[in-house]
Amino acid sequence: MRYRCLILDHDDTVVNSTATIHYPAFLEALKLLRPGVTISLDDYFRENFDPGFIPYCVGKLGMTDEELEREVECWKAYVSRHTAQAYDGIRGIIERQKAEGGIVCVVSHSYDFNIRRDYEANHLPMPDMIFGWEYPPEQRKPSTYALEVISRKFGLKSEEMVMVDDAKPGYDMAKAYGVTFAGAGWAMDIPEIRDFMRKNSDVYFTKVEELAVYLNG
């Protein structure tokens, strides 16, 4: 066990959810909120990567707070009918971390209820702590709030933790707190995103099995 605490993002890190859940849900919301407006899957990945989903909705689509609430309701309705699949190899990583006495936490822009449902549906060991979208905006990634709480609760030094994430908010959070950042590159192959992650991650992997080897080293 290379790190005492394994901190995982959820979407496109543990489960294949943007392409199969969040993107089609967003297209349904656009039909109601911005008829005639659409976005490709690759561009949806790009907007979520930087500047992020809310800045995209507000800054580029001009959504109001009320419209954002309606978008969330559309998303919740879609999620209630669909479950994301975990990537092959993820369960083994979490099981080994737990079996060796390690800690597993999730810091995500998904809601706690959705994360727990995905873990149950995919037979993954439940995380020790979850920090999801239900937290106030100032405590969500890229805020270091979650890392501060995890560190205090489990008595961890920054070098005992690793953050595994596919997107920039996770990188920004890890960098700000001095935690090793492992880039998860198995959900997409978009050149500018991959280039950023390769350049800035402490370690970067395009396959789950590569992460497993690294964590067990």
Side-chain angles (χ1 to χ4, degrees):
M1 186 173 61
R2 187 183 289 264
Y3 299 94
R4 283 183 60 199
C5 185
L6 172 63
I7 304 167
L8 297 167
D9 172 50
H10 188 61
D11 298 301
D12 304 319
T13 298
V14 169
V15 295
N16 180 17
S17 51
T18 290
T20 64
I21 306 288
H22 304 310
Y23 173 65
F26 186 63
L27 292 183
E28 288 195 4
L30 283 179
K31 291 177 183 178
L32 297 174
L33 300 172
R34 293 292 183 274
V37 174
T38 190
I39 184 172
S40 69
L41 176 58
D42 281 1
D43 283 343
Y44 185 73
F45 270 119
R46 291 184 178 99
E47 297 292 354
N48 275 274
F49 184 80
D50 189 24
F53 182 69
I54 297 299
Y56 165 67
C57 289
V58 174
K60 292 193 175 181
L61 298 180
M63 288 189 185
T64 63
D65 288 344
E66 180 180 325
E67 287 177 323
L68 287 174
E69 290 178 5
R70 291 180 64 192
E71 193 284 327
V72 170
E73 291 306 313
C74 288
W75 173 81
K76 286 182 177 179
Y78 195 92
V79 166
S80 70
R81 307 190 305 270
H82 302 81
T83 302
Q85 297 298 306
Y87 292 101
D88 290 341
I90 286 292
R91 185 169 69 178
I93 288 174
I94 298 173
E95 287 178 340
R96 179 162 183 173
Q97 181 76 8
K98 291 270 198 173
E100 295 185 2
I103 302 154
V104 177
C105 298
V106 173
V107 183
S108 169
H109 281 174
S110 272
Y111 285 92
D112 180 285
F113 79 87
N114 189 49
I115 295 165
R116 291 181 184 277
R117 193 188 74 155
D118 285 348
Y119 269 67
E120 290 174 356
N122 288 281
H123 308 291
L124 305 177
M126 200 58 63
D128 296 288
M129 295 189 78
I130 296 174
F131 298 82
W133 193 255
E134 67 281 350
Y135 277 80
E138 65 273 14
Q139 294 178 353
R140 302 172 191 154
K141 290 187 294 187
S143 165
T144 60
Y145 173 80
L147 300 184
E148 294 167 17
V149 173
I150 293 168
S151 179
R152 286 198 304 268
K153 180 176 177 62
F154 298 105
L156 297 166
K157 300 176 182 178
S158 59
E159 59 266 27
E160 295 178 297
M161 304 188 291
V162 60
M163 178 73 206
V164 184
D165 204 321
D166 69 295
K168 191 171 182 294
Y171 160 77
D172 290 336
M173 178 182 68
K175 181 179 180 181
Y177 200 69
V179 168
T180 298
F181 181 76
W186 43 80
M188 69 188 89
D189 188 14
I190 297 174
E192 59 267 40
I193 295 177
R194 182 152 288 183
D195 289 347
F196 176 92
M197 297 294 276
R198 282 190 185 280
K199 179 179 179 180
N200 292 284
S201 301
D202 294 301
V203 288
Y204 178 74
F205 307 108
T206 59
K207 297 179 180 179
V208 174
E209 50 264 38
E210 294 172 345
L211 172 65
V213 171
Y214 170 75
L215 292 175
N216 296 336

